[in-house]
Amino acid sequence: MSTPTIAVLDAAEKRYTTAGYGLIGTAVALGGLGLALMDSGRTITYRLDQTLDASWTVATLPVVLTLSALAALAGIWLLVRPPVRFAGAVIGAGVAALVIAALSWTVTPGVGFPIEFVLATTLFLSLPFIFGALSGVVAERSGVINLGIEGQFLAGAFTAALMASISGSAYVGMAAAMVSGVCSTLLLAWLATRFQVNQVVTGIILNLLALGLTGFLYERLMRADGSLNQPATVRKVGDSLGFLADIPILGPVLFDQNIFVYVALTCVFAVSFLLFRTRWGLRTRAVGEHPAAADAAGIDVNRLRFWNVTAAGALSGFGGAFFTIANNVSFSKNMTAGLGFVALAVMIVGRWHPFGVLTAALLFGFASALQRFLNTMPGNPIPTEFLGMLPYIVTLVVVAGFIGKATAPAADGIPYTPGDK
């Protein structure tokens, strides 16, 4: 076995060992606190709130202790078993058990935990992360760092609201958002490939440019004429799918969403297929990993990078339309609130793979869905300000503590001059 392979295995074993101790320690702490502090008569109610209107009430302490025990067993398994392909799933199951245990303790007795609402909201709120992270995947697989996703979100949100208001059609606004995203990334693509400027600095500057420009246009256009900030929206498709929308859990989650959900899922499958099953995908991965070899094979590296980054802007621009059209809200200054940077974290957690991005986006969407539910829950014991930080706290914890060392494409962010070796 070669030395690099041994090093990779050692790093993986260390990561799994750390995760094992972390799961065991957290599970013991949560179970111990439950035994010491929880009233034995406390109950938790789980509800199917959108289809059957059914509910189940159980004692909270046994739920917390059982789930804590399962998380501890997952941690023990990570310590006694060598690193295997299912270790990531075991870690995910352990973390999920701890989260559900903590939620069961947090939910106010008698209120009930709305399973269908939270799951459906999780998928819906994961959309900007999916679009933004997919944009980052396409760009960085090509060797260009797309740090301008936040600005592309803002440009797409503003343009979608403006054009949907003028035309009265949400679909016109969605198309305009894509065009706006393309225009937003043209400058990044041009500067990165033609002049080989620092891509990180360029992305930050473009974010600030988008923030200032959309703020200026908002004041000059939308504040002056409110009719320019009343975007048409898209409806859910549940009414047209008949009995499918009434299936417990699956109905609200998969069959009673708006078109943005189905476009996002289609994009995940499409980008994965194009990257790993087509000639374009092979060339894209080649210029992101070994541009000199791609150049020697006759591929115009900078040209392919230019068009790939431009196309990536269409994805993030469409993601910007989520903030206005999909949510049926008007545009406001800096309404994306840094979620473009969270999308970059989703891309890293997903290890630059479309299906990894989907999984990571659902995690962050779940954090946002919990924030919404807990903010409106009567008797919520968690301060609102802390809940507002929840998606960003999840970003830090996951990126720093659970994914290990994520390796970007080898030539990511490195300009290429034809003829270089």
Side-chain angles (χ1 to χ4, degrees):
M1 185 179 294
S2 64
T3 301
T5 303
I6 294 174
V8 171
L9 290 176
D10 288 343
E13 185 174 0
K14 181 178 179 181
R15 184 165 71 249
Y16 298 146
T17 300
T18 302
Y21 283 122
L23 287 174
I24 294 171
T26 307
V28 170
L30 184 61
L33 288 173
L35 287 171
L37 303 177
M38 189 179 299
D39 182 0
S40 60
R42 186 184 179 99
T43 60
I44 171 68
T45 301
Y46 301 98
R47 294 190 295 120
L48 296 181
D49 54 302
Q50 298 185 24
T51 53
L52 300 179
D53 195 22
S55 61
W56 299 268
T57 301
V58 295
T60 306
L61 183 57
V63 171
V64 171
L65 294 179
T66 300
L67 292 173
S68 297
L70 291 175
L73 288 175
I76 293 172
W77 187 89
L78 290 170
L79 296 179
V80 300
R81 296 281 295 183
V84 293
R85 61 186 301 181
F86 300 110
V90 173
I91 294 174
V95 172
L98 291 174
V99 170
I100 296 173
L103 276 175
S104 300
W105 192 350
T106 303
V107 174
T108 303
V111 172
F113 183 76
I115 297 173
E116 292 172 327
F117 167 80
V118 170
L119 292 180
T121 305
T122 292
L123 180 56
F124 181 72
L125 294 182
S126 69
L127 295 182
F129 307 131
I130 293 174
F131 287 116
L134 285 178
S135 175
V137 167
V138 173
E140 298 203 11
R141 284 280 187 173
S142 306
V144 178
I145 298 174
N146 185 8
L147 205 64
I149 295 174
E150 177 75 3
Q152 293 150 27
F153 274 172
L154 273 173
F158 174 83
T159 308
L162 180 65
M163 297 308 298
S165 299
I166 293 174
S167 66
S169 170
Y171 299 100
V172 171
M174 291 154 63
M178 295 177 66
V179 174
S180 176
V182 168
C183 294
S184 299
T185 54
L186 272 175
L187 184 57
L188 171 63
W190 183 54
L191 292 174
T193 58
R194 179 67 176 84
F195 297 100
Q196 301 185 353
V197 299
N198 186 294
Q199 297 164 15
V200 173
V201 174
T202 303
I204 294 174
I205 291 174
L206 291 177
N207 286 333
L208 296 175
L209 175 62
L211 177 62
L213 182 60
T214 54
F216 171 78
L217 293 175
Y218 169 78
E219 293 289 344
R220 293 291 182 175
L221 297 177
M222 294 178 171
R223 288 287 293 271
D225 184 356
S227 65
L228 297 179
N229 197 14
Q230 298 176 358
T233 188
V234 288
R235 295 183 178 180
K236 294 183 177 181
V237 300
D239 294 338
S240 61
L241 294 180
F243 74 95
L244 292 177
D246 297 325
I247 300 174
I249 298 180
L250 288 180
V253 175
L254 294 179
F255 303 116
D256 195 22
Q257 302 276 8
N258 67 37
I259 191 173
F260 280 82
V261 170
Y262 307 112
V263 171
L265 296 177
T266 300
C267 285
V268 169
F269 284 92
V271 173
S272 180
F273 176 80
L274 291 172
L275 272 178
F276 301 106
R277 294 290 187 271
T278 68
R279 185 180 181 183
W280 169 84
L282 179 61
R283 293 186 169 197
T284 293
R285 288 181 285 124
V287 301
E289 294 285 353
H290 304 288
D295 188 13
I299 300 173
D300 190 331
V301 173
N302 286 325
R303 181 179 181 181
L304 183 59
R305 285 181 171 182
F306 176 88
W307 289 114
N308 283 358
V309 173
T310 303
L315 287 169
S316 49
F318 190 86
F322 163 86
F323 295 94
T324 50
I325 292 177
N327 279 288
N328 193 24
V329 298
S330 301
F331 178 83
S332 59
K333 291 182 179 180
N334 197 25
M335 68 184 307
T336 55
L339 294 186
F341 297 105
V342 178
L344 285 172
V346 168
M347 176 193 69
I348 296 171
V349 174
R351 297 182 180 274
W352 292 269
H353 192 289
F355 287 109
V357 160
L358 175 62
T359 303
L362 290 173
L363 169 64
F364 291 96
F366 181 65
S368 300
L370 286 182
Q371 175 193 356
R372 285 196 176 186
F373 164 65
L374 293 175
N375 266 331
T376 59
M377 183 182 71
N380 173 33
I382 304 175
T384 303
E385 295 79 8
F386 180 83
L387 290 175
M389 297 187 294
L390 186 59
Y392 308 101
I393 292 173
V394 170
T395 302
L396 291 173
V397 171
V398 172
V399 172
F402 287 96
I403 66 169
K405 183 179 179 181
T407 304
D412 191 20
I414 302 175
Y416 180 73
T417 301
D420 284 354
K421 296 183 179 180

